[in-house]
Amino acid sequence: MTGLFWNLLLATCWVFLTGSFEVLNYLFGFVIGYLVIALVHNLVPALQDYPQRLPRFIAFLVYFFRQLVLSNIKVASDIVTPPWHMKPGVVSFKLLAETDLEITLVSNFISLTPGTLVLDVSEDKTTLFVHAMFLHDEDQVQADLRQLEQRLLQVMR
Amino acid sequence: MFEWVITIVYLLLSISLLLGFLRLAKGPSLPDRVVALELIASIVTGMVGVHAIDTGVSAYLDIAIVLAITAFLAAIGFARFIQVRGMQDD
Amino acid sequence: MTEFFISLLLLLAAVVMLLAAIGMLRLPDLPTRMHATTKSGVLAVIFIMLAVALYFERMDITARVLAIIVFTLITAPIAAHAIGRAGYLSGVELWSQTVRDDLKDYYHNHDKVHEDDSAST
C-alpha cells in the first residue's frame, strides 16, 4: 500500500514538473515512478515487495474483467432464450481468507462475477454461502471460486 | 451518426426503465421491489452520463455520484428494514 | 476514431442494461433476479462512465469518472449481499427448481442466529 502511494506521488510530481495535465502524461509518470521504485526497492524495507505486487494486481484486474464479461454473456444468453438452462442453488464455500478485510474483498469479487452471489457468511467466518446460477457441475463452480480467491489473496499478502 | 447513437441509447435505456417499473409494480415481495429500485437507480445513473455526453455539460456527473450514493444508502436501509420486519404480505 | 469507441461503449452499455431489465422481469426468484441486475448494472454503468471519460478527455472529469466506477464496484455487491441476506432470512421462497440449499441446513442447526440479528438492531 505504501508502495502504491509513493508511486502515485512520483507520478503526480512528474505531471507537475512537465506541466501538462493529461491522462496519458499521468500514466507515463506512473510508469517512470514504477521503474524508479523498482530500482531502489532493495534499499527501502517498506517497498520490498511492491515491484512484484503491481504486475500481479494488473494481472488480477485483467483476469477479473475477462471473467466479468464472459459470465455476463453466459447469464445474458440464458435470459434471452425462453427455456431455462440454469440450475440455481446455494453452496457452501470454505474460505482461505482470514481477516475481515480479506473476506470482504473476496466476497465482493465473488458477488461481482455474474453467476455467483454471496448470500451470507457463517458465524465463525470460515464459510461463505454462495448462490450459484449454473450448478451443473459443483466441483467446477468450487474450483472457479477457489481460483478467484487465490488470485486475490496473492495480491493482498 | 453520433446523434443517432445517442438517441438509440436513450431509447434502449428508457425501455429498460419501463421494464424495471413493471417489476417494481408487480412485486411480489418487498425485496423484489428493492432490487427493482436498485436497477432503476443504476439505469438513471447511466442516463445522466449519457445526458452529460449529449449536452456536453460535465457538471451532470456530480448528479450521477450523488445518485449512486443515495441508491446505496437506500438499499442498505431497506435491507435493515426487511430484516427487522420479517416476512409479511405486501 | 474516439467517436467510434464512445458509440460502441454506449451501445454495449445500453444492451447490457436492457438485458439486465429483461432478466429482472423474467427470472423466477429473488436471488436469480439479483444475478441479472447488480452485475449487469455495474458493467453498464462502467461502460457509460468510460464513454464519458473518453468524450471529455479532461483530467478532472476522468478523476470523477474513476471515483464513480470504484464506488459502484465497492457498493453494488455490498447492497446485493444485504438485500439478498435480508430477503432470504425474511423467508422469500426460492425457485421450485433450485437444486441445493446449504444455507437452510446451516440455519437449521444454528437457530439462534435469527434472534441475535434482531436483538442487535
Side-chain angles (χ1 to χ4, degrees), chain A residues 21-23 26 64-65 68-69 72 75-76 78-84 86-92 104 107-108 111-124 129 131-133 135 138, chain C residues 16 19 22-23 26-29 31-32 34-36 38-40 42-43 46-47 58-59 62 73-74 76-78 80-81 84-85 88 94-95 97-103 106-107 110 112-113 116:
Chain A
F21 294 86
E22 278 164 27
V23 183
Y26 205 98
F64 171 68
F65 275 102
L68 185 65
V69 172
N72 248 312
V75 173
D78 197 16
I79 286 173
V80 288
T81 51
W84 295 121
M86 62 183 189
K87 228 176 166 187
V90 183
V91 292
S92 47
T104 313
S107 47
N108 258 14
S111 283
L112 272 175
T113 43
T116 49
L117 184 81
V118 176
L119 280 182
D120 208 347
V121 190
S122 68
E123 290 282 281
D124 50 0
F129 292 99
H131 184 277
M133 208 165 155
L135 209 60
E138 203 205 314
Chain C
V16 168
L19 283 173
I22 294 174
R26 276 200 68 211
L27 287 166
D29 67 348
T32 47
M34 295 198 329
H35 280 296
T38 35
K39 296 119 200 188
S40 311
V42 169
L43 196 67
I46 288 178
F47 281 157
R58 269 165 49 195
M59 197 71 193
T62 312
L73 273 179
I74 294 174
I78 296 177
H81 164 72
R85 183 169 189 269
Y88 188 92
L94 298 182
W95 190 34
Q97 291 177 42
T98 302
V99 287
R100 266 184 77 164
D101 194 353
D102 284 357
L103 194 54
Y106 175 72
Y107 278 122
H110 299 69
K112 65 179 187 57
V113 180
D116 283 359

Side-chain angles (χ1 to χ4, degrees), chain B residues 2 12 16 23 32 34-35 38 42-43 46 49 52-53 56 58 61-62 65 69 72 79-80 83-84 87, chain C residues 3 7 17-18 21 24-25 30 33-34 37 48 52 55-56 61 64 68 71 75 79 83 85-86 90 117 121:
Chain B
F2 196 56
L12 289 179
S16 334
R23 174 50 72 194
D32 290 303
V34 178
V35 174
E38 227 191 316
S42 50
I43 293 172
I53 291 180
S58 61
L61 275 187
D62 295 332
I65 295 178
I69 294 173
F72 172 61
R80 222 69 189 110
Q83 211 166 320
V84 171
M87 193 55 177
Chain C
E3 209 154 76
S7 313
M17 203 68 112
L18 188 65
M24 161 108 236
L25 204 60
L30 179 72
R33 268 176 214 147
M34 295 198 329
T37 56
I48 290 182
V52 171
Y55 181 78
F56 286 103
I61 306 285
R64 247 183 280 177
I68 296 179
F71 187 79
T75 58
I83 298 171
R85 183 169 189 269
S90 72
D117 266 357
T121 44

